[in-house]
Amino acid sequence: MHRLFSIALAITLAGCASLGYYGQAIGGHLSILGRTRPIEELLTDPTLAPELKQRLERVVVIRAFATRSLGLPDNDSYRRYADLERPFAVWNVFAAPELSLKAKEWCFMFAGCVAYRGYFAQTDVERAAAQLRAEGYDVYIGGVVAYSTLGWFDDPLLNTMLARPEPELAGLLFHELAHQNIYVRDDTAFNESFAMTVEREGVRRWLAAQNAQAPYAAYTERARRREEFMALMLVCRARLEELYVSDFSDDDKRTAKNELFNELRRDYAQLKKRWDGYAGFDGWIEELNNAKLISIGLYHDHIAAFEKLLARDGGDLTAFYLTVNELARQPKAARDAALAALSANLLDTSATSNVGTQR
């Protein structure tokens, strides 16, 4: 409560223009906290549904693994549970100009500038999206099953997270705890790609520790499909970037943009045939725009680079976290150059001379 009061005071001093948005954020988070109960207490409740009890018992084991085997924070995050009675914890809105892939950013007191804005009520995010569309932006709304307070609070386990298969649930916990380990202001792509790397490696180690061969095979198959789909999206994004900086007229750019989206849909239809008709990404293809492509890139831009850093550290997560921390302290331009070099397999030792050399 002391932290919340401090935040509220800072908001008030910042001016009334921010008060409404931060008010819903504080109110939404307090509402969630008010619903939580300690998981260990719930597990002794004789009225607890057997299926929920089983899922919570697994979360206790996964949470212990996260700290013991992955070096993730040992705190009270994900040791309390809340049923929100809704499908998502928050809804994020992304926006980009009609003929640009430069994301609109919003700046916050503690998180810095990020390429999305979160709302606890669907009506609020839809109102914000309508305003952005009226201003001429391409807009995308994405429901989010979990969010991180970056260690300011102990983040609870939510019902929105429990519907996932166990490997994905474990990955989600690892991902959000990774944000508490390392977070860089004003660099969404860095933060999300790092957390995705920890998520992937964590799930691999978790399933290996469980000797869960069948779940691992299913998880890797889902991951393979996701990577193939993302590859299509990223190719489309790269071609759009070339288009938007070209000398074509705006009308010609709009026409070419639609053609590229139609080509992407055709490529996806061919991909589905290889997947025997698996339709898990149909919702993404139905309505394409710049904002949706940006939301994908934020989570995947630097994964290859981070995976190479982890491999270079011999798979030692403690060493990897130190390496990433050193990289995080560099200016953004140097940080981006180092990650780009790693992704291209052209590691520039001068650009990363301070990465991984101090222990």
Side-chain angles (χ1 to χ4, degrees):
M1 289 302 297
H2 174 72
R3 284 178 177 172
L4 284 174
F5 176 77
S6 299
I7 292 171
L9 177 61
I11 293 165
T12 303
L13 294 174
C16 294
S18 300
L19 191 57
Y21 175 76
Y22 281 103
Q24 68 85 31
I26 292 173
H29 186 65
L30 277 176
S31 175
I32 289 177
L33 293 182
R35 289 172 172 261
T36 65
R37 288 178 61 189
I39 292 176
E40 294 292 352
E41 176 185 305
L42 279 169
L43 292 176
T44 66
D45 185 343
T47 67
L48 189 67
E51 182 179 353
L52 177 57
K53 181 178 181 179
Q54 183 180 36
R55 294 289 278 172
L56 292 178
E57 287 173 339
R58 295 301 292 164
V59 167
V60 170
V61 179
I62 293 168
R63 182 65 183 85
F65 179 87
T67 296
R68 183 183 65 252
S69 300
L70 303 180
L72 293 171
D74 185 9
N75 54 30
D76 284 337
S77 288
Y78 309 113
R79 292 193 166 103
R80 297 179 68 89
Y81 173 73
D83 186 347
L84 305 183
E85 301 179 321
R86 62 181 190 246
F88 299 110
V90 295
W91 287 263
N92 285 342
V93 61
F94 299 82
E98 179 192 10
L99 298 175
S100 171
L101 286 172
K102 180 174 176 54
K104 177 177 174 59
E105 290 189 335
W106 289 269
C107 297
F108 305 98
M109 288 177 297
F110 302 105
C113 296
V114 296
Y116 52 84
R117 203 176 197 191
Y119 293 84
F120 283 85
Q122 190 170 4
T123 53
D124 289 342
V125 76
E126 288 174 350
R127 189 180 303 112
Q131 178 61 41
L132 288 164
R133 291 189 185 99
E135 295 172 11
Y137 286 101
D138 279 8
V139 177
Y140 167 63
I141 296 174
V144 181
V145 299
Y147 65 93
S148 174
T149 59
L150 307 178
W152 279 85
F153 302 95
D154 295 319
D155 299 322
L157 179 75
L158 305 174
N159 68 295
T160 55
M161 305 161 69
L162 290 184
R164 295 188 168 196
E166 185 172 299
E168 278 78 359
L169 172 59
L172 185 57
L173 295 180
F174 303 154
H175 182 109
E176 299 303 335
L177 287 167
H179 283 313
Q180 295 186 21
N181 247 9
I182 299 173
Y183 184 87
V184 180
R185 285 177 60 91
D186 306 332
D187 201 336
T188 303
F190 181 94
N191 296 322
E192 296 300 345
S193 296
F194 163 70
M196 284 293 297
T197 303
V198 175
E199 172 184 333
R200 290 181 174 188
E201 181 63 15
V203 170
R204 186 189 68 78
R205 296 186 187 197
W206 163 250
L207 293 176
Q210 306 302 304
N211 195 27
Q213 297 180 359
Y216 185 67
Y219 174 78
T220 54
E221 176 64 13
R222 289 191 295 272
R224 181 186 65 81
R225 288 173 176 168
R226 187 164 54 248
E227 289 306 309
E228 290 181 351
F229 176 74
M230 293 301 172
L232 286 184
M233 300 290 277
L234 292 176
V235 167
C236 181
R237 192 181 72 167
R239 295 178 67 185
L240 283 170
E241 286 176 338
E242 292 180 1
L243 170 67
Y244 294 150
V245 298
S246 72
D247 294 330
F248 293 167
S249 69
D250 285 354
D251 285 343
D252 287 342
K253 287 179 180 179
R254 291 186 184 96
T255 299
K257 173 184 177 180
N258 289 331
E259 289 174 352
L260 285 172
F261 283 155
N262 288 332
E263 184 177 340
L264 175 58
R265 293 186 181 95
R266 291 192 293 270
D267 290 341
Y268 174 64
Q270 293 300 313
L271 195 59
K272 282 179 62 176
K273 290 181 180 179
R274 297 213 324 262
W275 294 343
D276 297 323
Y278 174 78
F281 300 103
D282 281 9
W284 274 88
I285 291 295
E286 288 176 0
E287 295 183 15
L288 291 169
N289 63 30
N290 294 335
K292 184 172 280 191
L293 289 176
I294 284 170
S295 73
I296 285 181
L298 294 174
Y299 282 75
H300 294 81
D301 276 351
H302 305 310
I303 289 178
F306 282 118
E307 288 180 340
K308 287 184 179 180
L309 284 177
L310 178 59
R312 198 179 71 182
D313 282 328
D316 183 333
L317 283 170
T318 300
F320 173 64
Y321 297 150
L322 288 172
T323 296
V324 176
N325 260 319
E326 292 160 10
L327 185 57
R329 287 196 293 267
Q330 294 190 19
K332 189 177 187 309
R335 192 164 60 238
D336 287 346
L339 291 169
L342 284 162
S343 296
N345 202 25
L346 296 172
L347 183 58
D348 181 350
T349 55
S350 64
T352 58
S353 59
N354 292 322
V355 180
T357 59
Q358 301 174 11
R359 292 285 183 265

